[in-house]
Amino acid sequence: MKSQLAIKKIYIKTYGCQMNFSETEIISGLFLSNGFELTDSMDTADVIILNTCSIRDTAVNKVIGKLGQLKRLKKDNPDLIIGIGGCYAQSDSDFLKKKANYLDFIFGTYNKLRLVDIINKIEESRVLDDYETILDVGVYPDNEQFQYKDIAYKNPVTAWVPIMRGCDNYCSYCIVPYVRGHEISRIPSEIITQIEGLSSQNYKEIVLLGQNVNSYGKRFADGIDYKITFAGLLKELIKIDKIKRIRFITSHPKDLTDELIDVMSSSEKICKSLHLPVQSGSTNVLKAMKRQYSREYYVELIKKLRDKIPDLALATDVIVGFPGETEEDFQLTIDLIKAVRFEQAYLFRYSSRKGTAAEALPDQLPETLKKKRLWALMEIQDKITEEESIKYLGTEVEVLVEGPDQKKNVNSFSGRTNSNKIVIFKGKKTDIGNFVRIKITRTTPYTLFGEKL
Ligand code: 5AD
Ligand code: SF4
C-alpha cells in the first residue's frame, strides 16, 4: 500500500547485532517502496525509529539514554512521530507504554513489516485527534516473517541475507528465544532467489544470518519439510556464479556437522572464517549455561576444524562472571583462550536478563568481580589479537574492496580478506566491488595496512 501522506522523512537508529542491522535494511526498503524518504539527520526527520537490542544491560542503557533525548525533541516538536521496536521494545513493552507516553508506537520483532500501516494509522488518528501509543508486539504467523523484497542494502558489495529467525536453544543466560521466538528457517528457494538477485546487481559477497545457522532446516516458515541442511543450502548457493564469497554467522558448536566442515574445506567460495562462540572454558559453567557441549568437545571440534581447514580464522564470544563461576572455572576459560588463540574474541560480562533461567540461579557474582575478570581476560585476548594480526605482516592477501576508507583519507580504500580482516590501502574508485591483491606492510590488532600489487 502506498503512503497517502505528504512524503515523510524517516530516521532509523539501530542497536545490537547484524540481524538488527539487516532488519533495518528491510524496514528501510519497505519505507522507500511505499513513498517515504530516509534521512541520516534526526533534526530534519518527521519520524524517528529506534531499532533496539536487549541482549545485555549495556545495550538497554544506550536505548534508555536515547529515549531521554527523544522526549525533549518531542516536546519541542509535537508533530514528530517517534517509535521504538526490536528486541528491547518487545521485552519491555508494558513498561514503555506506561512510562514513555510520548512514544507514538511500539513494535516487536514480529511486526517490522507492518510499520507503514502503523505510521499511516497514526496520521489518520491525529487528524481525528484521537490517538494513543500504538502497541504492536504480538506474535504473527511464521510464513509472514520473510515476506519482503525491496531491501535497502547499505553496502554495495557485500549483503546480509537472513536465512532464519528465532532460537530454540534457551541457553540459560540468553533473552533471544523470549524476544525473537522459536526458530524458523526461511524457504530455500526464497533465499536462492534473493541471492541470485544480488548477484545480478553485482554483489560479490553474502553474509548469511541466523542466531544459529547450523541448525537451518529444522522447521520451515511455511511448515513444509524441504529436507535440506545448512551444508546443503551452502552447496546450492556456491552454484550462483557471480557470488564469490559466502560467510555466515552465528554457529553453535553443538550443531556444527562434519558435512559443513567438508563443504567449507572443499569450496573456495566459503570464507575460511568462523564465528564459534564458546562462552566458557569450564564444563561446569557450560552445563549451567545449558550450552549442550563440554570443554573437551569444543577443543576437539577446533582441532578437527583446523586439521581440515588449515588456514581457518576463528572468532568467538565469551561470557565471564556467570552465576557460580569460580576462580578455577575462570582460569579454565583463560586457559582455553590461550590454547585456541582466536583471531578475535568478543568478551562480555554476564548480564542478568529478566525471565531467563540464569536470573534465578543462586550465587550471582558481584559486578566488581565480573569486571575484574573481564578486564583480566581482555588484556590476555588483546595481546593474542595483536600477535595474530602481526602474522599477516609481509604476506599477500586477496581483498574484496568495499569502499573508501571511513576516515576519508584521500585515495584510501578499505576491504576485507577472506579471513574477515579489514585492510586499508591506496587505491582508486574503480577498485570498489573488485578483488585486489595487497601486500601487508603494517598491522594494528584489528586493521591491516598494505600496498596494491
Ligand atoms: N550476558 C552477557 N552476554 C550475553 N550474551 C548473550 N546473552 C548474554 C548475557 N545475558 C552474549 C553471548 C552471545 C553474544 C551474542 O552475546 O556471548 O554469544
Ligand atoms: Fe541465545 Fe543460545 Fe540461542 Fe545463541 S544459541 S541466541 S546464545 S539462546
Side-chain angles (χ1 to χ4, degrees):
M1 184 184 60
K2 293 272 178 233
S3 163
Q4 314 281 315
L5 319 164
I7 288 184
K8 294 239 163 267
K9 288 204 182 100
I10 314 251
Y11 170 87
I12 309 178
K13 168 97 183 142
T14 312
Y15 299 85
C17 64
Q18 266 99 344
M19 188 64 95
N20 253 15
F21 280 85
S22 163
E23 289 184 350
T24 290
E25 293 184 340
I26 292 165
I27 297 169
S28 300
L30 192 76
F31 280 130
L32 289 175
S33 59
N34 279 278
F36 292 83
E37 276 180 19
L38 298 173
T39 171
D40 288 333
S41 145
M42 225 161 65
D43 298 333
T44 57
D46 304 305
V47 182
I48 297 178
I49 297 173
L50 304 186
N51 188 8
T52 65
C53 169
S54 60
I55 195 95
R56 286 173 290 277
D57 51 1
T58 43
V60 171
N61 292 342
K62 273 190 213 156
V63 175
I64 290 179
K66 196 77 181 170
L67 281 175
Q69 184 189 355
L70 296 189
K71 185 179 181 181
R72 288 190 292 279
L73 282 177
K74 179 83 165 191
K75 209 168 147 215
D76 294 344
N77 174 14
D79 287 341
L80 182 65
I81 295 175
I82 301 179
I84 176 169
C87 294
Y88 170 61
Q90 176 93 37
S91 71
D92 231 358
S93 56
D94 290 343
F95 168 82
L96 285 166
K97 182 156 180 171
K98 234 190 290 160
K99 294 279 176 200
N101 60 0
Y102 52 91
L103 292 174
D104 294 279
F105 61 103
I106 301 169
F107 65 101
T109 62
Y110 281 84
N111 329 62
K112 59 182 186 289
L113 302 180
R114 296 169 181 257
L115 281 176
V116 170
D117 285 350
I118 290 179
I119 287 173
N120 286 340
K121 232 194 244 165
I122 290 169
E123 275 291 305
E124 283 160 23
S125 63
R126 281 188 170 182
V127 172
L128 299 171
D129 201 16
D130 165 34
Y131 59 90
E132 59 170 308
T133 305
I134 293 184
L135 185 65
D136 194 357
V137 289
V139 172
Y140 287 87
D142 290 349
N143 59 7
E144 284 185 18
Q145 298 304 316
F146 301 110
Q147 299 314 312
Y148 45 78
K149 47 181 195 311
D150 303 308
I151 301 165
Y153 300 103
K154 273 243 155 153
N155 183 315
V157 180
T158 164
W160 290 318
V161 178
I163 61 164
M164 56 208 295
R165 64 160 281 150
C167 181
D168 286 344
N169 285 317
Y170 288 90
C171 299
S172 64
Y173 51 82
C174 188
I175 199 162
V176 167
Y178 301 93
V179 289
R180 289 195 167 263
H182 70 174
E183 183 179 306
I184 49 169
S185 296
R186 197 170 164 201
I187 297 162
S189 60
E190 286 180 6
I191 299 173
I192 293 167
T193 305
Q194 184 186 349
I195 297 173
E196 280 171 345
L198 286 162
S199 124
S200 63
Q201 292 170 58
N202 275 328
Y203 277 84
K204 301 277 169 57
E205 178 178 289
I206 50 158
V207 185
L208 306 174
L209 297 181
Q211 245 72 45
N212 176 15
V213 289
N214 306 109
S215 66
Y216 174 83
K218 212 165 77 177
R219 184 191 304 118
F220 286 95
D222 60 357
I224 295 172
D225 183 2
Y226 291 91
K227 299 206 183 316
I228 184 167
T229 59
F230 180 55
L233 178 70
L234 288 175
K235 284 182 199 160
E236 292 303 312
L237 299 182
I238 56 184
K239 292 182 196 158
I240 303 175
D241 195 32
K242 279 162 51 192
I243 298 295
K244 301 297 181 199
R245 278 184 180 178
I246 302 175
R247 301 184 192 282
F248 47 86
I249 42 177
T250 287
S251 295
H252 194 304
K254 77 173 166 65
D255 296 313
L256 202 146
T257 59
D258 287 347
E259 188 194 11
L260 176 61
I261 300 176
D262 287 344
V263 186
M264 282 186 80
S265 66
S266 62
S267 167
E268 274 205 0
K269 288 192 177 182
I270 314 244
C271 289
K272 306 298 175 267
S273 87
L274 195 58
H275 184 225
L276 197 62
V278 65
Q279 311 298 4
S280 170
S282 153
T283 298
N284 284 341
V285 174
L286 289 170
K287 218 178 243 166
M289 287 177 163
K290 299 215 174 350
R291 288 290 289 176
Q292 308 176 59
Y293 56 84
S294 64
R295 173 198 176 92
E296 291 68 34
Y297 169 88
Y298 187 89
V299 170
E300 220 17 69
L301 181 60
I302 297 288
K303 189 170 168 306
K304 187 156 68 176
L305 281 161
R306 283 185 165 153
D307 279 350
K308 297 238 171 120
I309 314 167
D311 47 353
L312 183 67
L314 281 161
T316 199
D317 295 346
V318 177
I319 299 175
V320 301
F322 186 79
E325 183 189 70
T326 62
E327 195 51 45
E328 292 76 61
D329 292 323
F330 179 56
Q331 286 304 324
L332 283 167
T333 298
I334 292 184
D335 181 76
L336 184 135
I337 287 284
K338 283 184 176 168
V340 177
R341 296 186 65 82
F342 296 97
E343 275 203 11
Q344 200 165 342
Y346 302 89
L347 311 177
F348 307 110
R349 173 175 55 83
Y350 168 72
S351 162
S352 177
R353 306 283 75 206
K354 219 172 14 185
T356 58
E359 188 197 17
L361 287 177
D363 203 6
Q364 303 275 331
L365 303 191
E367 287 303 313
T368 44
L369 180 59
K370 289 195 253 174
K371 280 187 187 153
K372 198 173 135 223
R373 287 185 182 166
L374 182 64
W375 291 336
L377 195 61
M378 277 178 164
E379 207 175 310
I380 293 164
Q381 180 59 42
D382 282 352
K383 197 154 166 273
I384 296 172
T385 304
E386 186 170 5
E387 287 166 359
E388 290 302 308
S389 193
I390 288 171
K391 288 186 183 164
Y392 284 91
L393 201 62
T395 63
E396 281 177 32
V397 289
E398 187 172 57
V399 172
L400 175 57
V401 185
E402 290 181 21
D405 173 21
Q406 300 229 320
K407 295 200 180 91
K408 302 214 169 24
N409 294 331
V410 188
N411 298 331
S412 261
F413 289 82
S414 108
R416 280 171 198 268
T417 63
N418 186 303
S419 61
N420 212 19
K421 264 315 226 202
I422 295 169
V423 180
I424 312 273
F425 65 97
K426 288 252 178 293
K428 44 189 194 322
K429 241 182 162 171
T430 49
D431 290 331
I432 297 174
N434 290 316
F435 289 94
V436 293
R437 286 201 71 77
I438 303 283
K439 176 150 185 157
I440 302 301
T441 52
R442 185 163 75 84
T443 67
T444 64
Y446 295 99
T447 310
L448 308 175
F449 297 84
E451 282 158 15
K452 227 164 113 178
L453 290 169

